[in-house]
Amino acid sequence: MASIVDIHPHVISTDNKRFPLNPLGGKQSTWSVERPTPHEALVAAMDKAGVAKAAIVHASTAYGYDNSYVAEAIAAHPGRFTGVFSIDVLAPDAVEKMKLWIGKGFSGMRLFTTGSTMPGQATWFDDPRSFPAWDYAGKAGIPVCMQMTPQGFPQLRGLIERFPNVRMILDHLARPKLVDGPPYAADGEFLDLAKYPTVFLKLTPLNVSPENWGKATPETWFRTLIDRFGADRIAWGSNFPATDDTLSGILGKAQAALAFASKQERDWIFGGTAQRLYPSLKD
């Protein structure tokens, strides 16, 4: 069996003195208040679930742009963890900050352009002041996770074409509509992104258990994604502990939703694509 790799867990320290809270947008996420999860607890949950490695996503809604706690997790578990940092890409020192966190074992960047504490779709991510950061991401070979909605696709397409060497990962599949069912015309703009080989998809519990499937089903929707993008451009992320479930439960639901896929496709989605995006997590 191929190794299972999670590309979207979070860690939250219980020591607010060493790792002070400073949430992006000024409001801490409810989940990080209710379910703080130190990196030791993440390791225990991974061991229980059978998850071999992880790319920990920095929790912007707890720590803003201070990635120190994820850096501590990486240092404590070398080879098992890498990290996805967040910085202010509009700041003059953005590239220097990128180099700092990459030097601490991070191998990805995330832009938080919408979320539970920051509703709506921001458009700052294609501001020309961000271009040095985008350019360096391409040179350094690090993927950029986009926490976004389809409203930001026009700006995203411009960036894809301007920076063709940057691999972009759409967190939570960029929150598709789904409900019209096959052939998913309402999600046509999203599905058309498959033509760009640098666009990757992150499949999370928000996609496995959406509020409303409508005329869609897990098999018809995920088969459409595999056929359009290829399983080697889709990776599973747990969103643990933001998702209120055990890591074992989250993984089990995702595996059940993709049980129709071939073993090779599932191996890509639950590990191979992650290792393609984050080579330090290879077996």
Side-chain angles (χ1 to χ4, degrees), residues 216-228:
T217 67
E219 183 167 353
T220 61
W221 174 239
F222 295 133
R223 173 47 60 196
T224 297
L225 297 186
I226 293 169
D227 289 347
R228 293 290 289 269

Side-chain angles (χ1 to χ4, degrees), residues 38-109:
H39 57 77
E40 296 90 347
L42 175 59
V43 168
M46 290 170 63
D47 288 345
K48 187 172 183 179
V51 176
K53 299 183 180 184
I56 302 174
V57 174
H58 166 71
S60 303
T61 58
Y63 300 117
Y65 294 128
D66 184 356
N67 303 271
S68 298
Y69 190 55
V70 177
E72 179 172 284
I74 295 168
H77 306 279
R80 189 163 195 183
F81 289 151
T82 187
V84 179
F85 62 81
S86 289
I87 61 164
D88 180 359
V89 293
L90 304 184
D93 65 346
V95 172
E96 285 69 30
K97 288 290 176 59
M98 293 172 74
K99 291 177 180 178
L100 168 69
W101 297 116
I102 291 170
K104 293 181 181 292
F106 290 74
S107 52
M109 179 168 72

Side-chain angles (χ1 to χ4, degrees), residues 83-216:
V84 179
F85 62 81
S86 289
I87 61 164
D88 180 359
V89 293
L90 304 184
D93 65 346
V95 172
E96 285 69 30
K97 288 290 176 59
M98 293 172 74
K99 291 177 180 178
L100 168 69
W101 297 116
I102 291 170
K104 293 181 181 292
F106 290 74
S107 52
M109 179 168 72
R110 185 190 194 205
L111 303 189
F112 194 83
T113 72
T114 187
S116 61
T117 62
M118 297 175 66
Q121 176 58 62
T123 57
W124 50 259
F125 60 94
D126 73 337
D127 186 303
R129 289 176 293 170
S130 74
F131 291 174
W134 283 106
D135 182 63
Y136 189 71
K139 290 177 179 176
I142 64 168
V144 179
C145 294
M146 296 298 297
Q147 169 86 331
M148 67 182 302
T149 69
Q151 284 69 40
F153 285 167
Q155 289 81 14
L156 183 72
R157 286 194 298 270
L159 289 166
I160 293 168
E161 292 169 4
R162 179 180 286 270
F163 300 103
N165 295 326
V166 178
R167 291 167 298 165
M168 301 185 186
I169 307 170
L170 301 184
D171 282 6
H172 315 298
L173 309 183
R175 294 171 168 77
K177 296 181 178 66
L178 290 177
V179 292
D180 63 333
Y184 298 104
D187 290 304
E189 189 176 16
F190 163 66
L191 294 172
D192 284 346
L193 294 174
K195 69 183 179 183
Y196 298 109
T198 54
V199 173
F200 289 72
L201 306 180
K202 186 187 292 182
L203 188 156
T204 73
L206 275 69
N207 312 121
V208 171
S209 303
E211 291 183 4
N212 181 16
W213 276 105
K215 296 180 181 178

Side-chain angles (χ1 to χ4, degrees), residues 234-249:
I234 304 171
W236 169 73
S238 69
N239 202 35
F240 174 82
T243 296
D244 190 8
D245 195 354
T246 64
L247 184 55
S248 296

